[in-house]
Amino acid sequence: MKTLKIYLLIAVLLGVSSSLVAQEKLSKIVKSGELKIGITGTQPPFSMKDKNDQLIGFDVDLANLLATSMDLKLTLVEMPFGELLPSLSKGKVDLVISGMTITPSRNVKTAFVGPYLISGKSILTKSQVLSNATNPQDINSDIKVVTLKGSTSQKFAEKYLTQVQLELVENFDIAIEKIRNNEADVMIADYPTCAYAMLKFPNEDMVILDRPMTIEPIGIALPNDDALFVNLVDNYIESLERSGILEIMEEKWFENPYWLMQLK
């Protein structure tokens, strides 16, 4: 009985300690008055640079709305996609908003809020034959495929496209250029990214799938040891969704091409 009481005491102390740590993290953000959000800046239409070298996009708008709702100054920290989650775990950013798919392997190490958007894997190609694909096996042949390094698109290609020549690049602008210049046959990416390429280059004979090959939830990545922070962000995102703001943002960035005039 004495041993049991000791174990219970330890469990209570650990719980209190964990709660205090969570409160300290959130308090630190509030005290600093700054919210640091990790983003690539190279994932159109989620994030990209305009003519004035300023970040714009769906995720940029979402980051601004979140920071404003929390009454905090927004600082966008740009980095390659593969560095986002490591930077989050090291405390270099407070959260990540960068077109990131919620997967079990990521969720084991990282907390997620959302999804704030439902996406799926698609392709960008100049081949009318390949554009009729309905599943990965339809494009699993001796062709050149390009996709983003460290992304779920890379994992998708490595798992299902075992016969292709796979090239990994640092951002999707590079991948799109390879399709435009006939240096690759297919780009694997989330559907919005493929749709963006079609909007930006309407006269280059590029095509995408009629519907994605997968269904994937896109969410916000947060520290996995800060339940209070996760709960706070979740409440704000739910409010944005219920108010219809997220739906308006989807129409702006995924259906209306006028923002393309802001790009270089």
Side-chain angles (χ1 to χ4, degrees):
M1 182 65 69
K2 184 176 181 181
T3 302
L4 178 59
K5 288 181 178 180
I6 292 174
Y7 281 139
L8 290 173
L9 178 60
I10 292 174
V12 170
L13 290 174
L14 288 174
V16 171
S17 175
S18 176
S19 177
L20 288 174
V21 170
Q23 290 181 38
E24 288 173 0
K25 285 189 174 184
L26 185 54
S27 296
K28 185 177 179 181
I29 293 172
V30 174
K31 186 176 180 180
S32 70
E34 179 185 25
L35 184 65
K36 294 181 290 185
I37 296 182
I39 195 168
T40 64
T42 57
Q43 290 174 267
F46 293 104
S47 65
M48 58 260 169
K49 294 288 184 68
D50 66 10
K51 294 177 181 178
N52 298 316
D53 209 34
Q54 298 297 309
L55 283 169
I56 62 171
F58 185 98
D59 285 347
V60 178
D61 281 0
L62 182 59
N64 275 291
L65 285 170
L66 184 59
T68 300
S69 299
M70 298 174 69
D71 197 24
L72 297 171
K73 173 189 174 183
L74 173 64
T75 297
L76 294 174
V77 184
E78 297 176 63
M79 64 187 74
F81 191 86
E83 296 179 14
L84 289 169
L85 291 185
S87 294
L88 177 65
S89 65
K90 294 175 183 177
K92 294 182 179 179
V93 295
D94 300 316
L95 53 84
V96 169
I97 303 180
S98 200
M100 185 168 287
T101 303
I102 305 172
T103 66
S105 59
R106 285 175 178 159
N107 216 167
V108 167
K109 301 178 181 179
T110 307
F112 279 92
V113 163
Y116 62 82
L117 185 71
I118 300 297
S119 183
K121 288 289 169 279
S122 188
I123 67 170
L124 178 72
T125 181
K126 287 186 176 181
S127 168
Q128 292 293 334
V129 173
L130 294 174
S131 70
N132 291 321
T134 57
N135 61 71
Q137 290 307 310
D138 291 337
I139 55 175
N140 188 23
S141 58
D142 186 21
I143 59 174
K144 294 181 180 179
V145 173
V146 61
T147 194
L148 180 65
K149 181 180 180 181
S151 67
T152 53
S153 296
Q154 176 186 345
K155 293 184 178 179
F156 176 88
E158 290 174 342
K159 181 176 181 179
Y160 296 108
L161 307 181
T162 56
Q163 299 179 35
V164 306
Q165 303 172 47
L166 182 62
E167 180 180 359
L168 305 177
V169 294
E170 292 297 328
N171 62 69
F172 278 120
D173 283 331
I174 297 174
I176 292 169
E177 285 302 305
K178 287 185 176 293
I179 299 299
R180 292 182 66 202
N181 298 325
N182 299 310
E183 296 173 4
D185 300 300
V186 167
M187 179 185 80
I188 301 289
D190 288 335
Y191 192 86
T193 301
C194 295
Y196 152 77
M198 293 284 291
L199 287 173
K200 188 174 182 181
F201 305 107
N203 302 316
E204 304 226 0
D205 298 322
M206 296 189 295
V207 288
I208 62 176
L209 302 181
D210 290 333
R211 62 183 63 183
M213 291 183 284
T214 62
I215 300 297
E216 299 182 357
I218 306 296
I220 299 174
L222 299 102
N224 63 359
D225 58 350
D226 197 337
L228 295 181
F229 187 28
V230 172
N231 179 251
L232 181 65
V233 174
D234 184 51
N235 287 336
Y236 281 122
I237 295 302
E238 184 175 352
S239 297
L240 291 173
E241 183 176 10
R242 289 189 177 187
S243 66
I245 293 177
L246 293 184
E247 185 177 351
I248 294 173
M249 287 169 53
E250 281 190 49
E251 182 178 349
K252 173 185 176 181
W253 293 106
F254 302 140
E255 298 177 22
N256 192 331
Y258 293 110
W259 57 265
L260 289 167
M261 293 185 290
Q262 300 178 52
L263 302 183
K264 296 178 181 179

